[in-house]
Amino acid sequence: MNSDRTISMKKMGSIYNTLALINRLLLMTSAWNVLVSFIEADFWHFTEPSALGLKLVPAFGLFFAFLLPGFFFFSGRIWNFRLQLSWQLTFAMIEPILLLISALPALDELPSFRTCALGFGTLLLPFVVRFCRPTYDIQVGCEFFLVIFVSMCVRWSSHAVNVFYEEWRVGTFIICVSGIISIIQVIMNNVMDVNKMISEQQSRDEVLTTTEMITETPPNEMSTPVTNSVRSDIEDIDITDYHKESEGSVNLYPMLPPSEGSDDTESCSIKNTRDDKPSTSKWSHSLAILFMTPGIASFLMLFIQFFSSPAQLARWAGLRANPFGIFVVFCCTISFLFILMSRCQFGAFFKSMSDVKHECGGGLGANESNGGDYVNPWNVFWSIFPPFFCIVFLVTGWVLLLNSEKTGAVTGLCMICLSVPYVFVHVIDVYVQSSSRAHVGVRAISHITGSFIFFVLLTALTSFNLPTLTNIFFGRMSLILAAMLVCICLAVVVASMVTVRNNATSARRASLSRYHHQSRFPFVDLSSSAGGEVATFVAVIVCTLVITSAVSYRSSAVLSCREPTEARIAGNYDSNANNSTILRAMSWNILLGHTYTGRDNSACIAQVLRHFGPSVVGLQESDPLPVFWGGKDVLGALENELSVEGFRSHEGVPAMKSTLGVALMSRLNLISHEARLLPGRGFVKLPHYGYTRTVFELPTSKFPLYVINVHAVYKNWTIGNFTELSTIQLKKIADVTNNVTHQRAPVIVLGDFNLNPEERQLDALWTTAGLKCVYHKTRSMLNESTILNRFGNVDHIFYRNLDLIEGRIVAEAGRVSDHYPILADFVMPT
C-alpha cells in the first residue's frame, strides 16, 4: 500500500513540477518583456516630446524604476519575506496583467498611461522574482535563458515587432494559461499536503547526514560529540531503506517556501562541509557577487539590444534578416540543447570519475592530515576550460562581426550565438548560489550596482545614436561592446574561481553524503526531478520553434492597423496603382516605426503602400534597431507584408554606422544599390544622416532610373543652428545627382530634406543639379503641411528627364507618422 502511494505521489510530484516550471516560464517571460517594453515606451517621450509634454519625468522614472528596489533589500525582513503558494502566484500575475493593460487598444492615444503602467511593472519586477521564488535551484540560468529564447522566437514570428507590447491577445493568452496552471498548482498542493512532505524529507536528510557522519567520520573530526546511546540508536537505522524512501518522495522545493526559520543557505553539522571560517566564506561569496554584478548587467543589456529578436542581431551584423535570422535561432537552439544534454550526460560521467579518484585514495592535494580533502583535476579542468573557451569564442565573434562583411560576419554571428548561452547560464548559476550565502547588505548593494550599470549602459547605447548627452559613444559601438565584454569576462573568471573553490571545499562533504542529490560539478548530475525539468525545457523549445516557424511563414500580418487611416484608404486600389504606363514615386518619413502616439506603425505603412502601389518608395527614419526605439526590423515586416505585391526592400546605411535609417522599397528590377552617410564631421551633437543611390531597370526604356533617397539634417535644432551643415549636405546630394553615367537618364531625388522650398540651401538642387520640384514650381509654400507637429513643406520629390502627371500630399494617411507621405506620378519613360 505504502509503495503504491509512494509511486502515485511521485507521479503527481512530477506533474506538479512540470506545471510549476511552465508557469514560471510564462510569468518570467511577461516580466522580461515588461522591462523591454518599458524602455521603448519611456524613450518614446524623448523621440516625440509632445506626446507627454514633460521631458525630465521619463528620465527620472526610468532611473528610479531600476534603482529603487535595491534599497528595500537592505532590510533582512524584506529579503527573507515569503508568501504562501496562492499569494505567490497571485502576486506574480501582476506582470502579465500590466503587460496586457499596456497593449490595450483603448490606450493607443495615452502613451503616458502606458509608460506609467510598464514603469510600475519594472519597479515591482525584483520583488516578484524574490517573493515568488524563495528557494533557488541549479536551473535558474537555464530558465532565464529559455525566457529570452522564447521571447526572441516570438518576435522572430512578428519580424522583430514587440507583440508583447503591441498585441493585447498575447497578454491575454499568458494570463489565461498561467491562471489555469496556478489553480491546478494550488489544488495539487492542498491535496498532497506538500508542507508536511517537505518536513518529512528534511528530517530524513538530517538522519542520513548524522548516520553517515557517525559511520564514516573518525571521532576526532566530529563537530559535536555523540553519546554511545545516540550512536547505537542511529547505527540501527537502515540507510538503504531511508534512501529508497527518499527516492520516492516528491521534490517540490522550487515553488514552495522553506520551513519556518530556514534561510536560503543550507545547514550542515559536519566539519569541513563548508569553509573552515564561515565568516570568511560569507565575505568571499559577497565579494564574488559584487564582481559578477557588472557582467550580469552587461549580459542583460546584450540580450535586450541584440537578442530581442533574430532579425535584430542579423541586421546589426550587416546581414539581411532572412535567412540569417533563422541562422541565429538555429545556433542558439543548438547551444542551449548542448547545455541541457551536458547536464544530464556529462555530469554523471565526471561524477563517476571523481568518485573513482576518491575511492582510490583521493586526488590532487589529498593526504592523511586533511582527511582526504582534495582538488580533483577533472573538476578544475571542467570548471575552467569550457567558460574560457566560450569567452574566447565570444570575443572573437564580436571582433569578426564588427570588422568583417559577408563570410566573416556570418562566422562571428555563429560564434556569438554558440557561446553566449553557456557563458550566461554558467555565470547566473554561480551568482545565485553565491548570493544565497552572501551578506544581505552586500546583496542589496549588488542589486543597486547592477541596476546603475544597466542604466549607464542604456545611456551609452542611447548616445550611440543620439549624442545630445555625450559624444563619447557616438557611432562607437565597438567601445560600448568592449566595456560590456570586459565586464562579462570578469564575471566568468570570478564564477570559474568560485566553482573551483566550491568543488575543493565540498570534496569532504561529498565523500560523506554519498546519497546527496545536488552535484558539485559544473556539469550537473541531475536527480529525477531535475531530469524532468530538462525534458520540459526541451519540450518548450520544440513547441516554440514549431509554432513560431508556422506563424512567421504565414501570409497574413501579425498586427493590424489601428489608426483611422485604415477606414479611409482600405479597399480598392488607388486609380493609378499598378498602372504600367505610370511611374509612381513616393517618399515617407515613418518616424522610426512608430505612430504619432508611440505605437508600431508597420501594419499601417503596409496598408498605405498596398493601396497606392508606388513603383518606388523612399523611407526615412526606417531603422529603429536600438532597444530604446523598440529594436524593430521595419523593413523586414514591410517586405513580408508586401512581397505578394512585388515589393523588395533595399537597406540603407549599416546599423553600426549609427543612423536614423534611410532605405528604399520598390517593385522595379534592381541594377545597383549603395548607401552612405552625409557629411557631418565636426557637428558632434547631431545624429548621423544618410542617403541611398539606387539604379533600377525600366521595362520600357533603354536608360536606367536613378533614385536618390535623402534624409538631411534639421538645421534649426534646439541645441544650435546648423545652417552650414545643411548647405554642405545639399551640395553633396547635388554632386551625387550629377554623377550619373547617362545624362539623359531619368533621375528622382526624394526624401525628408528638413527644408521649406524657399530656403536657400535647396539652391544646389534647383540650379547646380538642374532639378525640378513636383510641388513647388515657384518655390512657394503650399496650403497643406507635410508634417503634423508644425506647419511646413519639408518633404520633397525632385526630378529630371521625366514628364510629371501630378503630385500630392497623402493627408488621408492620418497619424501613422509625424509626416504625411507624398507621391508623384510620371509618364513611364520609353
Side-chain angles (χ1 to χ4, degrees):
M1 181 67 68
N2 290 336
S3 177
D4 294 340
R5 180 179 179 275
T6 299
I7 295 174
S8 176
M9 295 300 290
K10 184 176 181 180
K11 291 181 179 179
M12 291 183 66
S14 299
I15 296 173
Y16 181 95
N17 285 337
T18 301
L19 292 174
L21 176 58
I22 294 174
N23 201 13
R24 285 202 304 276
L25 292 174
L26 286 171
L27 296 173
M28 290 172 64
T29 300
S30 299
W32 171 253
N33 284 282
V34 163
L35 172 62
V36 175
S37 301
F38 174 56
I39 294 174
E40 177 183 356
D42 190 82
F43 270 84
W44 171 249
H45 302 295
F46 301 99
T47 305
E48 190 61 45
S50 61
L52 184 63
L54 297 174
K55 296 182 179 180
L56 294 180
V57 170
F60 283 117
L62 191 73
F63 183 79
F64 285 112
F66 288 164
L67 266 72
L68 191 60
F71 291 95
F72 287 94
F73 290 147
F74 278 107
S75 171
R77 289 187 176 182
I78 295 180
W79 179 264
N80 294 317
F81 182 72
R82 299 292 184 269
L83 292 171
Q84 294 181 353
L85 178 63
S86 57
W87 286 108
Q88 283 183 31
L89 299 173
T90 302
F91 186 53
M93 290 291 289
I94 292 176
E95 299 295 327
I97 290 174
L98 290 174
L99 196 62
L100 170 62
I101 290 174
S102 68
L104 290 174
L107 299 182
D108 284 354
E109 302 298 317
L110 300 172
S112 302
F113 193 90
R114 299 197 306 265
T115 303
C116 292
L118 293 170
F120 183 62
T122 302
L123 183 68
L124 292 180
L125 197 154
F127 299 102
V128 170
V129 174
R130 179 62 194 167
F131 296 162
C132 300
R133 191 183 179 90
T135 58
Y136 294 103
D137 57 64
I138 54 180
Q139 302 288 5
V140 174
C142 289
E143 288 184 17
F144 201 161
F145 184 79
L146 186 56
V147 165
I148 296 169
F149 179 81
V150 170
S151 300
M152 181 176 67
C153 289
V154 170
R155 293 188 62 170
W156 169 37
S157 65
S158 63
H159 298 277
V161 174
N162 187 358
V163 292
F164 296 94
Y165 177 48
E166 302 288 348
E167 180 52 69
W168 63 271
R169 294 179 183 86
V170 176
T172 303
F173 172 80
I174 294 175
I175 291 174
C176 292
V177 175
S178 180
I180 293 172
I181 295 177
S182 298
I183 293 173
I184 297 174
Q185 280 186 253
V186 173
I187 294 174
M188 293 184 69
N189 177 49
N190 294 332
V191 170
M192 293 188 295
D193 195 4
V194 176
N195 289 321
K196 180 179 178 181
M197 294 170 60
I198 290 178
S199 179
E200 292 176 354
Q201 184 170 344
Q202 289 175 340
S203 299
R204 287 194 296 270
D205 290 343
E206 291 177 1
V207 173
L208 279 169
T209 301
T210 309
T211 304
E212 293 167 353
M213 176 184 69
I214 294 173
T215 56
E216 301 186 29
T217 306
N220 59 350
E221 292 191 10
M222 300 287 291
S223 59
T224 56
V226 180
T227 62
N228 291 332
S229 59
V230 174
R231 182 187 297 274
S232 62
D233 291 338
I234 296 177
E235 286 178 346
D236 291 335
I237 297 174
D238 188 350
I239 301 176
T240 306
D241 291 339
Y242 271 102
H243 177 54
K244 290 180 179 179
E245 185 179 358
S246 66
E247 284 183 339
S249 63
V250 183
N251 178 17
L252 302 176
Y253 286 90
M255 285 296 290
L256 293 175
S259 57
E260 293 295 328
S262 64
D263 195 1
D264 286 341
T265 58
E266 51 185 323
S267 60
C268 186
S269 60
I270 304 177
K271 182 180 180 181
N272 289 332
T273 60
R274 295 188 182 215
D275 298 324
D276 294 334
K277 297 180 180 180
S279 60
T280 304
S281 173
K282 209 164 191 179
W283 279 112
S284 64
H285 286 293
S286 300
L287 192 62
I289 65 172
L290 289 178
F291 277 108
M292 285 188 282
T293 296
I296 294 176
S298 300
F299 266 124
L300 297 182
M301 184 52 65
L302 193 72
F303 287 132
I304 292 177
Q305 178 60 76
F306 298 104
F307 284 84
S308 65
S309 74
Q312 188 187 33
L313 183 59
R315 289 290 307 280
W316 278 105
L319 305 169
R320 294 186 65 86
N322 287 318
F324 293 103
I326 301 174
F327 185 71
V328 171
V329 174
F330 174 77
C331 291
C332 289
T333 303
I334 294 298
S335 179
F336 192 48
L337 289 177
F338 173 78
I339 295 173
L340 296 178
M341 295 301 102
S342 65
R343 285 173 176 254
C344 289
Q345 302 297 328
F346 297 126
F349 171 72
F350 291 113
K351 183 179 187 301
S352 63
M353 293 189 64
S354 177
D355 291 340
V356 170
K357 280 278 187 182
H358 179 72
E359 291 173 5
C360 292
L364 182 64
N367 54 63
E368 294 180 1
S369 62
N370 62 20
D373 290 355
Y374 62 95
V375 179
N376 191 288
W378 280 103
N379 288 348
V380 175
F381 178 79
W382 288 107
S383 296
I384 296 177
F385 176 73
F388 176 78
F389 180 77
C390 288
I391 279 295
V392 173
F393 236 55
L394 179 62
V395 174
T396 305
W398 279 113
V399 170
L400 289 174
L401 188 142
L402 290 172
N403 300 286
S404 303
E405 297 180 0
K406 303 291 183 178
T407 305
V410 173
T411 304
L413 198 70
C414 177
M415 296 175 72
I416 293 169
C417 295
L418 290 176
S419 58
V420 163
Y422 177 85
V423 177
F424 174 73
V425 170
H426 174 65
V427 172
I428 288 293
D429 284 345
V430 176
Y431 178 87
V432 168
Q433 294 172 15
S434 295
S435 179
S436 66
R437 302 175 185 178
H439 288 276
V440 173
V442 176
R443 289 189 291 226
I445 294 174
S446 172
H447 186 283
I448 296 172
T449 304
S451 300
F452 180 76
I453 294 174
F454 185 85
F455 185 83
V456 170
L457 290 174
L458 182 59
T459 304
L461 287 169
T462 306
S463 301
F464 170 76
N465 286 90
L466 304 173
T468 306
L469 294 176
T470 175
N471 59 4
I472 296 176
F473 303 104
F474 180 49
R476 300 173 180 172
M477 184 59 71
S478 57
L479 183 60
I480 301 174
L481 283 172
M484 295 169 67
L485 290 175
V486 168
C487 295
I488 289 173
C489 290
L490 177 62
V492 172
V493 170
V494 173
S496 299
M497 292 173 61
V498 171
T499 303
V500 173
R501 185 173 184 274
N502 288 345
N503 290 341
T505 57
S506 64
R508 181 61 175 165
R509 177 185 179 184
S511 66
L512 296 177
S513 302
R514 61 176 61 178
Y515 302 114
H516 197 269
H517 288 293
Q518 183 174 354
S519 172
R520 59 189 184 278
F521 301 95
F523 294 107
V524 182
D525 180 23
L526 299 174
S527 64
S528 58
S529 173
E533 288 190 356
V534 171
T536 305
F537 285 152
V538 175
V540 170
I541 292 173
V542 172
C543 291
T544 300
L545 291 176
V546 171
I547 294 173
T548 54
S549 298
V551 172
S552 63
Y553 286 105
R554 75 200 182 297
S555 58
S556 60
V558 177
L559 303 176
S560 58
C561 180
R562 300 203 298 224
E563 284 293 316
T565 178
E566 185 175 13
R568 289 198 287 262
I569 66 174
N572 296 329
Y573 291 107
D574 179 76
S575 57
N576 286 335
N578 305 317
N579 189 333
S580 60
T581 64
I582 292 178
L583 176 64
R584 170 167 284 186
M586 178 182 281
S587 176
W588 198 357
N589 184 316
I590 60 175
L591 193 57
L592 297 162
H594 293 84
T595 65
Y596 196 66
T597 56
R599 287 296 197 192
D600 180 81
N601 65 2
S602 57
C604 296
I605 295 171
Q607 183 76 38
V608 173
L609 296 184
R610 183 182 293 109
H611 177 77
F612 289 100
S615 305
V616 60
V617 54
L619 302 174
Q620 302 86 42
E621 297 188 14
S622 57
D623 269 342
L625 290 176
V627 58
F628 48 88
W629 286 329
K632 299 186 290 187
D633 179 23
V634 175
L635 290 179
L638 292 178
E639 186 172 26
N640 178 70
E641 281 297 295
L642 300 172
S643 59
V644 294
E645 308 287 339
F647 282 94
R648 294 293 180 269
S649 65
H650 310 289
E651 298 177 0
V653 180
M656 286 296 180
K657 292 188 177 181
S658 173
T659 67
L660 302 178
V662 54
L664 211 66
M665 296 193 71
S666 74
R667 298 191 294 174
L668 302 173
N669 293 328
L670 178 69
I671 297 177
S672 66
H673 174 76
E674 63 178 0
R676 299 183 184 277
L677 292 176
L678 284 169
R681 182 173 297 177
F683 298 88
V684 294
K685 290 295 183 180
L686 289 175
H688 284 153
Y689 292 87
Y691 71 93
T692 63
R693 179 183 180 274
T694 313
V695 184
F696 294 105
E697 177 185 341
L698 292 175
T700 59
S701 174
K702 63 179 180 179
F703 296 112
L705 172 67
Y706 290 85
V707 178
I708 301 169
N709 182 25
V710 181
H711 188 207
V713 65
Y714 176 48
K715 70 174 186 177
N716 296 318
W717 272 72
T718 55
I719 57 176
N721 186 285
F722 297 97
T723 301
E724 180 185 356
L725 179 61
S726 178
T727 303
I728 294 173
Q729 291 186 352
L730 267 295
K731 287 182 178 178
K732 174 65 176 179
I733 295 301
D735 293 339
V736 173
T737 304
N738 289 328
N739 186 23
V740 295
T741 305
H742 307 281
Q743 294 301 317
R744 295 174 56 191
V747 178
I748 296 177
V749 180
L750 46 74
D752 177 9
F753 295 85
N754 278 308
L755 292 167
N756 286 313
E758 74 278 4
E759 297 188 74
R760 63 181 180 83
Q761 286 75 34
L762 289 174
D763 290 349
L765 300 184
W766 289 91
T767 58
T768 306
L771 298 174
K772 300 177 182 179
C773 187
V774 170
Y775 313 103
H776 313 285
K777 297 180 177 62
T778 60
R779 298 191 66 170
S780 59
M781 295 282 286
L782 299 177
N783 294 327
E784 293 182 272
S785 176
T786 64
I787 49 180
L788 279 69
N789 57 359
R790 67 184 189 277
F791 188 87
N793 295 155
V794 298
D795 301 278
H796 306 283
I797 298 178
F798 293 91
Y799 66 96
R800 188 173 67 194
N801 299 330
L802 285 168
D803 295 325
L804 176 67
I805 299 176
E806 66 170 346
R808 65 189 182 96
I809 300 171
V810 189
E812 60 266 35
R815 298 198 303 170
V816 173
S817 170
D818 62 342
H819 288 242
Y820 292 123
I822 59 174
L823 64 81
D825 289 339
F826 303 96
V827 176
M828 181 67 72
T830 56

